[in-house]
């Protein structure tokens, strides 16, 4: 079994100790190469030591770990965020990071992450960490791709190829051109917040549609829109008036 070389960045010594202890005692074949409680030491250690995975806290006053990612020219390791902030920047981070773990740290969470790294045969480390860099200060206005976790790795998806996104309990299904679909663990609300500025509209509590793929508008008692793949998506009664009003601002009818 190939050993996984890990590193830890956290400004709290107690968290460094807890995470190091879990990695050394509960995760087989893991070596903690270095740990740091500040960004400058972490940056120097990254330059001097090759690692497979970096566990990082987000908030490290007066700085944050995003600044460290920005300073890395060509990262070639996985990034796992370990944070006490459930809401802080996770909309962007969850689209690209391999995983994130909420404090207080649980041994089972760390073990699962290590197993995920081992099973990830199609390793896209440099590419994905590079994508993280584009999201570190919020999603840029010109972003055109999102990352979806799949069973054997990741899919980098052009948002223009998404026809609509459907809510499925705690999951979502992305329907793409070419009869392709992916199931993701992100909520529909998260996708709405990220994609609403990119021509996507929440027409129903269960549907977020790409207006570029809207082919037909059906009004009346049960309004709906027909998409380019033939799917008929309902428009909720509560949203229909606002939807049609806003639609007239961009489409003449």
């Amino acid at each position: 079994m190939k050993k996984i070389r890990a590193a830890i960045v956290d400004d709290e010594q107690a968290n460094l100790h807890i995470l190091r202890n879990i990695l050394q005692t509960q995760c087989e074949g893991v070596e903690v190469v270095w740990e740091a409680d500040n960004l400058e030491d972490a940056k120097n250690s990254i330059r001097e030591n090759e690692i497979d995975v970096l566990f990082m806290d987000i908030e490290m006053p007066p700085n944050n770990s995003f600044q460290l990612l920005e300073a890395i020219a060509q990262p070639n390791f996985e990034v796992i965020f370990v944070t006490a902030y459930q809401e802080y920047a996770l909309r962007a981070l969850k689209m690209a990071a391999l995983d994130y773990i909420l404090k207080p740290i649980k041994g089972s969470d760390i073990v699962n992450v290590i197993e995920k790294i081992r099973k990830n045969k199609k390793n896209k480390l440099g590419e994905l960490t590079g994508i993280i860099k584009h999201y570190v200060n919020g999603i840029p206005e010109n972003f055109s791709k999102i990352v979806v976790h799949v069973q054997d790795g990741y899919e980098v998806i052009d948002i223009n190829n998404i026809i609509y996104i459907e809510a499925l309990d705690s999951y979502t299904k992305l329907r793409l051109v070419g009869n392709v679909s992916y199931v993701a663990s992100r909520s529909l609300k998260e996708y709405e917040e990220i994609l609403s500025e990119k021509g996507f509209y929440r027409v129903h509590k269960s549907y977020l549609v790409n207006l570029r793929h809207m082919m037909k508008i059906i009004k009346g008692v049960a309004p709906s829109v027909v998409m380019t793949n033939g799917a008929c998506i309902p428009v909720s009664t509560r949203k229909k008036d606002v939807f049609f009003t806003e639609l007239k601002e961009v489409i003449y009818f």
Side-chain angles (χ1 to χ4, degrees):
M1 178 185 296
K2 185 177 180 181
K3 184 168 290 189
I4 292 177
R5 295 167 60 85
I8 310 169
V9 180
D10 198 306
D11 61 343
E12 297 183 17
Q13 290 296 321
N15 289 328
L16 286 173
H17 174 76
I18 291 170
L19 189 48
R20 179 177 66 249
N21 182 63
I22 292 173
L23 289 168
Q24 292 178 335
T25 62
Q26 299 184 37
C27 302
E28 183 181 359
V30 176
E31 175 188 4
V32 178
V33 180
W34 56 265
E35 53 190 67
D37 59 6
N38 64 82
L39 298 185
E40 189 61 33
D41 286 349
K43 185 162 68 172
N44 292 333
S45 296
I46 288 172
R47 289 171 177 168
E48 298 170 2
N49 301 276
E50 182 179 340
I51 58 173
D52 299 306
V53 57
L54 177 62
F55 291 87
M56 298 181 67
D57 187 13
I58 292 179
E59 280 290 350
M60 300 182 64
N63 304 304
N64 60 53
S65 60
F66 301 152
Q67 293 167 295
L68 176 61
L69 292 178
E70 290 180 311
I72 303 172
Q74 293 182 322
N76 60 350
F77 49 81
E78 296 281 15
V79 175
I80 310 296
F81 290 100
V82 183
T83 176
Y85 298 86
Q86 187 169 9
E87 302 298 330
Y88 180 65
L90 289 183
R91 289 199 310 272
L93 300 176
K94 287 170 64 178
M95 303 302 292
L98 176 65
D99 213 333
Y100 73 99
I101 295 170
L102 289 175
K103 296 178 180 177
I105 303 169
K106 298 179 182 178
S108 58
D109 291 337
I110 304 301
V111 171
N112 289 338
V113 164
I114 294 300
E115 286 304 308
K116 184 181 294 187
I117 293 172
R118 290 196 192 283
K119 294 177 180 178
N120 187 11
K121 302 297 183 182
K122 295 182 179 178
N123 219 327
K124 298 181 180 179
L125 304 177
E127 176 184 353
L128 289 175
T129 310
I131 291 173
I132 290 173
K133 290 175 66 177
H134 292 293
Y135 287 85
V136 293
N137 289 319
I139 299 176
E141 293 182 0
N142 62 345
F143 84 98
S144 62
K145 299 179 186 296
I146 60 174
V147 175
V148 176
H149 294 206
V150 293
Q151 185 174 5
D152 58 354
Y154 310 87
E155 290 289 341
V156 181
I157 298 174
D158 190 322
I159 62 173
N160 291 321
N161 291 332
I162 301 172
I163 300 174
Y164 66 90
I165 304 175
E166 178 183 3
L168 299 173
D169 295 326
S170 58
Y171 298 90
T172 50
K173 176 169 283 190
L174 288 75
R175 302 280 188 173
L176 280 64
V177 296
N179 200 30
V180 176
S181 64
Y182 297 102
V183 174
S185 59
R186 322 306 179 198
S187 70
L188 194 62
K189 181 176 176 59
E190 286 179 278
Y191 282 122
E192 179 186 12
E193 291 174 350
I194 292 169
L195 297 172
S196 61
E197 298 296 322
K198 295 294 181 179
F200 285 73
Y201 198 95
R202 183 83 172 266
V203 297
H204 187 277
K205 67 178 182 179
S206 299
Y207 294 97
L208 180 69
V209 302
N210 186 344
L211 297 179
R212 300 176 188 85
H213 286 279
M214 192 172 60
M215 190 171 62
K216 183 177 181 180
I217 302 168
I218 300 174
K219 302 184 76 173
V221 180
S224 60
V225 292
V226 179
M227 309 305 290
T228 52
N229 66 343
C232 188
I233 307 299
V235 177
S236 72
T237 303
R238 183 173 59 87
K239 290 178 176 286
K240 68 175 183 178
D241 291 337
V242 175
F243 173 60
F244 290 131
T245 299
E246 293 184 355
L247 202 58
K248 288 179 180 179
E249 297 178 4
V250 294
I251 300 176
Y252 178 76
F253 68 95

